[in-house]
């Protein structure tokens, strides 16, 4: 598998949860067809997209992944009849929650890829990896400190009820 | 990081802040009448042996403060009080008290919805509790405890409504065995005493204010929240949705939650907590009230409630004990955005 050439030096780590019954076979087919896609993707096989606990996603980010992709069967094709429908509701809510609390939408994506869609697998993986490469590494440090340096923490402090903890001092 | 100034102006922020602060009159006559009825019924229930304990409120250590009371002796019902400082939501205490027998508990809107929550989560049977419905004009914040020599006894003309009560949509209990109020149990204005509670569609106003911020600002806002969290788990302890026998944070062997108190672990805890309860949250706001760091936890909870409400058009949680929570079911006609 060759790495798709990129202008950026940054090599993101992207974790893909792949359903055993569809996307994992799709990845297999992509390999059999000698398709090229970025080696930044790490596949993690799960029995169903419904097996993907949102805590896995948070753990992946905490352990150093720059992006997470959850792949499952197309609606109606679930091996366990309804697992992907539950996953869909769960992920729709969870993705919105993560974006609300400040995660870039590109870093957490969900796609339906069937066992025969090797081309789609390659395209999705390439697209996701390039999007995250463009974003750069996931920032783990507290960005409010950077805000304080800019003197822009007023908004954030104003919206937060009086904190008993020491306020981050704003450089005016 | 953006180089531009934050898009939300200080005036806007100030407007949001003042919108949250609502004042209320103190309804002395109502509280006195309800307290009398409550003591009378508690005495009868305990004497007849119908219940083994009554859960209500009693005077706290300070003048403007109450604490939950667990009355098992019919001679001690006079300890029970109901006033504008009954901030604690009592519903969850039923789970430990019911081990000794049937429990009577005072329910306002928030408690009754918590009781419904626990019934639909199979934590409680309706027959295990006797619900004394109380009318609630909204509770007010205790004035700062002053260490001055002479405490003021003059009742204040108006006081600041608790933030959880300002966002309340159901002041009256939605389920009860008997109602101890002075008006119809469905009259949300308590017979004209208080203005109508906010419309359920308006309760997401502060979530919408945050959504309007830029991604970086939201990130800074929530990182500040996580950074101030001390992970005391008080929010979990009071939550009527958090009834797992073993919480994920206590599963040390599984290692879900690390022991360190840092931004990553605090984010993991806060987001997981919200996700575990968000589809069932009855919006009692008790998590936010008990938070010793005064973190705006309902702003995360309500975001998830808002999304699920708009995406899957679910009703408010806890209004009955039959509705299946939106993440426990699915519809093949759900919106498709991942093809």
């Amino acid at each position: 598998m060759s790495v798709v050439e990129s202008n950026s030096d940054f090599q993101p780590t992207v974790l893909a949860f792949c359903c055993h019954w569809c996307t994992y076979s799709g990845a297999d087919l992509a390999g059999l067809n000698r398709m090229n896609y970025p080696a930044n993707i790490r596949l993690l096989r799960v029995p169903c997209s419904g097996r993907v606990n949102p805590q896995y996603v948070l753990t992946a980010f905490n352990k150093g992944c720059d992006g997470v992709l959850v792949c499952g069967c197309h609606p109606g094709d679930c091996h366990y009849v309804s697992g992907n429908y539950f996953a869909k509701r769960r992920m729709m809510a969870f993705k919105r929650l993560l974006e609300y609390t400040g995660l870039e939408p590109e870093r957490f994506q969900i796609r339906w890829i069937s066992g025969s869609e090797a081309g789609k697998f390659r395209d999705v993986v390439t697209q996701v990896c390039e999007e995250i490469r463009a974003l750069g590494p996931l920032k783990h440090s507290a960005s409010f400190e950077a805000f304080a340096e800019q003197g822009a923490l007023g908004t954030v402090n104003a919206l937060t009820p009086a904190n008993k903890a020491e306020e981050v001092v704003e450089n005016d | 990081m953006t180089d531009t100034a934050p898009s939300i102006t200080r005036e806007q922020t100030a407007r949001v802040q003042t919108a949250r602060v609502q004042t209320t009159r103190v309804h002395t006559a109502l509280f006195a009448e309800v307290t009398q009825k409550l003591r009378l019924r508690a005495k009868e229930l305990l004497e007849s042996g119908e219940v083994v304990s009554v859960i209500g409120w009693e005077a706290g250590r300070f003048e403007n403060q109450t604490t939950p009371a667990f009355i098992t002796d019919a001679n001690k019902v006079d300890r029970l009080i109901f006033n504008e400082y009954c901030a604690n939501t009592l519903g969850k205490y039923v789970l430990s008290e019911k081990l000794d027998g049937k429990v009577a508990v005072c329910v306002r809107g928030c408690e009754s919805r918590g009781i419904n929550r626990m019934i639909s989560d199979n934590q409680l049977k309706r027959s295990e509790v006797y619900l004394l419905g109380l009318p609630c004009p909204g509770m007010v914040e205790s004035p700062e405890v002053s260490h001055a020599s002479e405490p003021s006894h003059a009742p204040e003309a108006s006081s600041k409504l608790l933030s959880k009560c300002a966002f309340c949509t159901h002041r009256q209990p939605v389920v009860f065995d008997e109602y101890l109020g002075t008006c119809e149990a469905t009259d949300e204005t308590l017979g004209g005493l208080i203005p109508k509670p906010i419309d359920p569609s308006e309760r997401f106003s502060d979530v919408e204010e945050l959504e309007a911020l830029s991604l970086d600002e939201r990130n800074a806002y929530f990182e500040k929240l996580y950074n101030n969290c001390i992970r005391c788990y008080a929010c979990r302890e009071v939550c009527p949705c958090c009834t797992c026998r073993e919480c994920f944070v206590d599963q040390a062997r599984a290692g879900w939650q690390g022991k360190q108190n840092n931004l990553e672990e605090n984010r993991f805890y806060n987001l997981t907590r919200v996700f575990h309860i968000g589809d069932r949250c009855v919006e009692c706001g008790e998590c936010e009230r008990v938070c010793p760091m005064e973190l705006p936890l309902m702003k995360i909870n309500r975001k998830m409630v808002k999304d699920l409400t708009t995406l899957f058009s679910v009703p408010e949680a806890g209004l009955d004990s039959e509705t299946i929570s939106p993440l426990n079911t699915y519809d093949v006609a759900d919106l498709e955005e991942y093809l």
Side-chain angles (χ1 to χ4, degrees):
Chain A
M1 226 184 290
S2 66
V3 177
V4 174
E5 290 298 316
S6 165
N7 297 328
S8 166
D9 289 337
F10 169 59
Q11 295 294 347
T13 310
V14 182
L15 182 66
F17 291 97
C18 296
C19 165
H20 168 78
W21 302 100
C22 54
T23 316
Y24 203 76
S25 312
D28 213 11
L29 191 61
L32 282 172
N33 289 331
R34 309 206 176 276
M35 292 174 177
N36 285 352
Y37 57 86
N40 303 92
I41 197 95
R42 287 7 176 214
L43 298 196
L44 204 159
R45 187 171 62 154
V46 286
C48 177
S49 52
R51 181 68 184 89
V52 182
N53 186 332
Q55 281 167 275
Y56 295 166
V57 178
L58 288 173
T59 305
F61 285 125
N62 277 355
K63 302 260 179 188
C65 294
D66 301 296
V68 174
L69 177 65
V70 175
C71 300
C73 303
H74 286 264
D77 290 351
C78 181
H79 182 78
Y80 307 101
V81 182
S82 57
N84 55 358
Y85 283 113
F86 286 102
K88 184 165 86 173
R89 280 202 166 192
R90 207 174 291 156
M91 294 306 162
M92 281 167 88
F94 194 58
K95 185 168 163 62
R96 283 169 170 78
L97 186 66
L98 288 183
E99 287 168 17
Y100 175 68
T101 55
L103 189 82
E104 291 95 340
E106 292 84 6
R107 292 199 193 272
F108 177 50
Q109 303 199 32
I110 300 100
R111 288 287 188 284
W112 311 134
I113 303 172
S114 83
S116 59
E117 292 177 324
K120 182 176 180 185
F121 175 80
R122 174 198 57 201
D123 296 343
V124 165
V125 166
T126 311
Q127 184 207 344
V128 169
C129 287
E130 292 314 313
E131 279 172 359
I132 294 169
R133 198 191 305 279
L135 282 177
L138 179 66
K139 286 187 268 320
H140 283 277
S141 59
S143 66
F144 65 84
E145 284 167 6
F147 257 70
E149 281 166 24
Q150 290 175 27
L153 202 66
T155 322
V156 172
N157 273 337
L159 278 166
T160 318
N163 281 302
K164 287 181 180 171
E166 199 180 331
E167 295 280 356
V168 177
V169 182
E170 189 177 337
N171 300 333
D172 272 330
Chain B
M1 245 354 97
T2 52
D3 296 321
T4 52
S7 53
I8 187 165
T9 63
R10 299 208 176 209
E11 290 80 66
Q12 275 178 306
T13 310
R15 185 174 53 76
V16 180
Q17 296 265 296
T18 44
R20 280 175 63 97
V21 179
Q22 292 183 27
T23 53
T24 178
R25 282 191 304 116
V26 174
H27 307 284
T28 321
L30 172 80
F31 286 124
E33 187 172 346
V34 172
T35 305
Q36 283 311 315
K37 282 187 181 177
L38 175 60
R39 288 176 180 168
L40 188 70
R41 282 301 292 144
K43 194 175 179 67
E44 287 168 5
L45 285 167
L46 286 168
E47 275 175 348
S48 70
E50 194 175 338
V51 300
V52 294
S53 67
V54 177
I55 309 179
W57 303 267
E58 63 182 327
R61 289 170 64 197
F62 302 108
E63 188 189 6
N64 298 320
Q65 180 234 335
T66 65
T67 186
F70 303 86
I71 309 291
T72 51
D73 183 347
N75 297 321
K76 292 184 178 166
V77 292
D78 284 349
R79 272 165 58 193
L80 287 170
I81 54 168
F82 183 55
N83 63 20
E84 68 274 26
Y85 299 115
C86 294
N88 295 63
T89 301
L90 303 174
K92 206 181 175 188
Y93 291 116
V94 170
L95 293 185
S96 51
E97 288 295 299
K98 77 184 172 91
L99 301 175
D100 300 326
K102 192 168 180 172
V103 180
V105 59
C106 300
V107 290
R108 301 166 293 186
C110 45
E111 275 113 5
S112 64
R113 291 171 70 185
I115 295 283
N116 269 340
R117 174 80 280 146
M118 290 185 284
I119 293 172
S120 49
D121 290 349
N122 292 322
Q123 300 301 312
L124 183 70
K125 291 192 188 73
R126 182 67 183 82
S127 57
E128 289 175 317
V129 281
Y130 189 88
L131 304 177
L132 298 162
L134 304 184
C136 177
M139 296 296 142
V140 302
E141 282 184 11
S142 275
E144 287 286 315
V145 177
S146 115
H147 297 287
S149 54
E150 194 66 28
S152 151
H153 288 283
E156 293 172 61
S158 73
S159 304
K160 193 176 159 199
L161 209 58
L162 283 179
S163 123
K164 68 170 190 173
C165 295
F167 279 96
C168 178
T169 54
H170 292 270
R171 294 270 159 78
Q172 295 278 20
V174 295
V175 58
F176 51 83
D177 288 304
E178 67 179 280
Y179 180 66
L180 305 179
T182 50
C183 59
E184 288 292 308
T186 49
D187 184 1
E188 288 286 350
T189 63
L190 268 58
L193 271 183
I194 52 166
K196 267 180 87 71
I198 61 164
D199 189 77
S201 61
E202 291 166 25
R203 69 194 199 276
F204 302 122
S205 57
D206 57 348
V207 172
E208 281 155 9
E209 290 290 341
L210 269 176
E211 283 172 338
L213 296 180
S214 73
L215 190 84
D216 283 337
E217 282 172 303
R218 271 179 280 139
N219 196 28
Y221 180 88
F222 284 103
E223 284 193 353
K224 187 158 179 281
L225 186 154
Y226 307 139
N227 208 52
N228 286 349
C229 175
I230 55 171
R231 287 227 316 279
C232 61
Y233 306 135
C235 45
R236 174 195 70 177
E237 295 300 321
V238 294
C239 179
C241 307
C242 285
T243 45
C244 290
R245 295 227 173 109
E246 192 178 13
C247 178
F248 76 98
V249 302
D250 298 325
Q251 293 173 335
R253 284 219 172 174
W256 288 114
Q257 180 71 61
K259 295 291 178 197
Q260 297 138 304
N261 192 314
N262 59 24
L263 194 117
E264 278 77 31
E265 294 294 347
N266 291 357
R267 173 180 15 227
F268 185 88
Y269 169 68
N270 278 284
L271 289 179
T272 308
R273 182 191 72 83
V274 171
F275 200 77
H276 281 182
I277 62 154
D279 60 326
R280 297 172 295 127
C281 178
V282 296
E283 298 167 68
C284 59
E286 190 70 351
C287 49
E288 189 173 281
R289 189 189 67 81
V290 298
C291 182
M293 305 306 287
E294 297 178 2
L295 302 178
L297 300 176
M298 281 309 287
K299 289 192 183 182
I300 331 183
N301 286 18
R302 248 191 218 103
K303 165 65 180 172
M304 189 149 164
V305 175
K306 174 176 183 271
D307 285 342
L308 293 172
T309 307
T310 47
L311 286 172
F312 310 121
S313 49
V314 287
E316 284 184 88
L319 295 189
D320 62 60
S321 54
E322 309 296 323
T323 311
I324 300 169
S325 64
L327 293 187
N328 281 357
T329 182
Y330 68 92
D331 185 349
V332 289
D334 281 344
L335 177 69
E336 181 55 64
E337 50 188 23
Y338 301 136
L339 281 175

